[in-house]
Amino acid sequence: MSRSVLVTGGNRGIGLAIARAFAEAGDKVAITYRSGEPPQELTALGVLAVRCDITDSEQVEQAYKEVEDKHGAVEVLVANAGITKDTLLMRMSEEDFASVVDTNLTGTFRVVKRANRGMLRAKKGRVVLISSVVGLLGAGGQSNYAASKAALVGFARSLARELGSRNITFNVVAPGFVDTDMTKVLTDEQRAAIVAQVPLARYAQPEEIAAAVSFLASDDAAYITGAVIPVDGGLGM
Ligand code: NAD
C-alpha cells in the first residue's frame, strides 16, 4: 500500500537515503529541505520536495498544506533534520546552545505536532525520530547536540504513552557515525579515533540507517513503540 511519507531534511545524507528507500518501496514521499536545490535523483523518483525551515512554524504549516494537497495527510513522519554547532562549554554561546535545541528538539516538536493532526483523524500513524548515539553517551564538545538528541528520547517515549491508544507509534533511531556531510568536517585523525572505538570498526552508510527506519514504519513493527534502536556498529553498548 502506498503511504504518504514525509522526511524532514531529506535532500542529503541520512534523510536522502530514507526518502529513497520509501520511494523505491512505492510510497508517496515528500521531503523538506532548508536550502539549495533538491537532488535530481529524488525528482526522478517522483518525490515531492518542499522548502521548509523547521525553526519556523509558519513554514512548517505551509509545507504540510502542500504535502496534504498533493499526497494526502502524512501517515509516516521521519523527523530527521538536525544540526551540530560543536564547541566546548566555556566557549559555547547561548545562541550556539539555543539554535541547536531550536532545530533538533523544538523543530522536531513542530513537525510532529503538525503531523499528529492528520494521524489522530486517521486513527493511525508512524513517527520515527532520528536521534544519535551521542544523545545516549554524551560527547565532549557536543553538549548542546547531545542534550537535544537525548531529549528526543523523552519526547518520543512520552508521546508513545500519550498516543498509543490512538494507534500512533513513536520510535527513535540512534545512529552512530555515518558517512555524510555532517561528519565530513572531521579530520582523518578524528575519524580513525572514532573507528577505533566502534566494534564493527567502520562508519555506517546512510542506507543502513534507512533500513531501520523502513522497518519501524512497516507492518512488521506494528507492536513496537517507545523503542530506541541503535544503529551504531556497537558503539553505544
Ligand atoms: P546532514 O547535515 O547531511 O543533513 C542534515 C539535514 O537537516 C539537511 O537536509 C538539512 O537541510 C536539514 N536541516 C538542518 N537544519 C534544518 C532546519 N532548520 N530546517 C529544515 N531542515 C534542516 O546530516 P546527516 O548526517 O544526514 O544527519 C541527519 C540526521 O541524523 C540529523 O538529525 C543528525 O543529527 C543525525 N545523525 C547523524 C549522524 C552522522 O554521523 N552523520 C549520526 C547520528 C545522528
Side-chain angles (χ1 to χ4, degrees):
M1 210 180 62
S2 175
R3 301 164 299 179
S4 170
V5 178
L6 176 62
V7 183
T8 64
N11 55 316
R12 62 176 205 232
I14 295 171
L16 171 61
I18 294 169
R20 189 192 296 124
F22 281 111
E24 285 175 352
D27 289 312
K28 292 174 286 183
V29 180
I31 60 152
T32 68
Y33 65 104
R34 190 177 43 168
S35 56
E37 290 296 320
Q40 276 283 226
E41 70 152 300
L42 286 189
T43 322
L45 280 170
V47 171
L48 172 67
V50 184
R51 199 180 187 121
C52 167
D53 184 333
I54 61 165
T55 64
D56 180 335
S57 324
E58 195 43 50
Q59 288 188 34
V60 170
E61 179 61 31
Q62 285 311 318
Y64 270 90
K65 282 196 175 134
E66 192 174 336
V67 174
E68 285 168 351
D69 227 36
K70 308 241 165 68
H71 291 171
V74 171
E75 296 164 280
V76 177
L77 169 66
V78 185
N80 161 78
I83 57 167
T84 50
K85 273 198 186 171
D86 298 351
T87 190
L88 300 173
L89 178 66
M90 297 315 288
R91 291 193 192 137
M92 192 178 288
S93 66
E94 197 167 324
E95 208 279 319
D96 291 334
F97 192 87
S99 64
V100 169
V101 170
D102 194 29
T103 304
N104 297 359
L105 177 59
T106 318
T108 298
F109 158 78
R110 291 183 189 98
V111 295
V112 168
K113 183 175 176 192
R114 184 57 182 78
N116 268 256
R117 207 190 280 174
M119 290 178 181
L120 282 168
R121 221 174 274 141
K123 298 190 173 63
K124 65 172 183 207
R126 294 294 172 87
V127 178
V128 181
L129 309 184
I130 306 300
S131 176
S132 168
V133 67
V134 166
L136 309 174
L137 293 180
Q142 291 200 302
S143 58
N144 50 357
Y145 180 75
S148 70
K149 291 295 186 179
L152 291 180
V153 174
F155 181 60
R157 288 191 161 155
S158 300
L159 297 178
R161 291 181 190 280
E162 189 175 314
L163 292 160
S165 64
R166 308 299 189 92
N167 195 25
I168 305 171
T169 66
F170 294 86
N171 291 293
V172 174
V173 170
F177 287 84
V178 190
D179 243 329
T180 68
D181 290 349
M182 191 174 266
T183 49
K184 279 204 173 71
V185 295
L186 299 173
T187 62
D188 286 350
E189 216 168 58
Q190 287 170 318
R191 282 177 77 94
I194 288 164
V195 167
Q197 309 271 318
V198 179
L200 286 179
R202 62 173 177 86
Y203 269 50
Q205 290 307 308
E207 291 70 25
E208 294 176 304
I209 313 305
V213 173
S214 294
F215 168 67
L216 288 169
S218 74
D219 287 348
D220 288 342
Y223 202 58
I224 301 178
T225 195
V228 179
I229 312 279
V231 186
D232 62 2
L235 179 62
M237 71 180 167

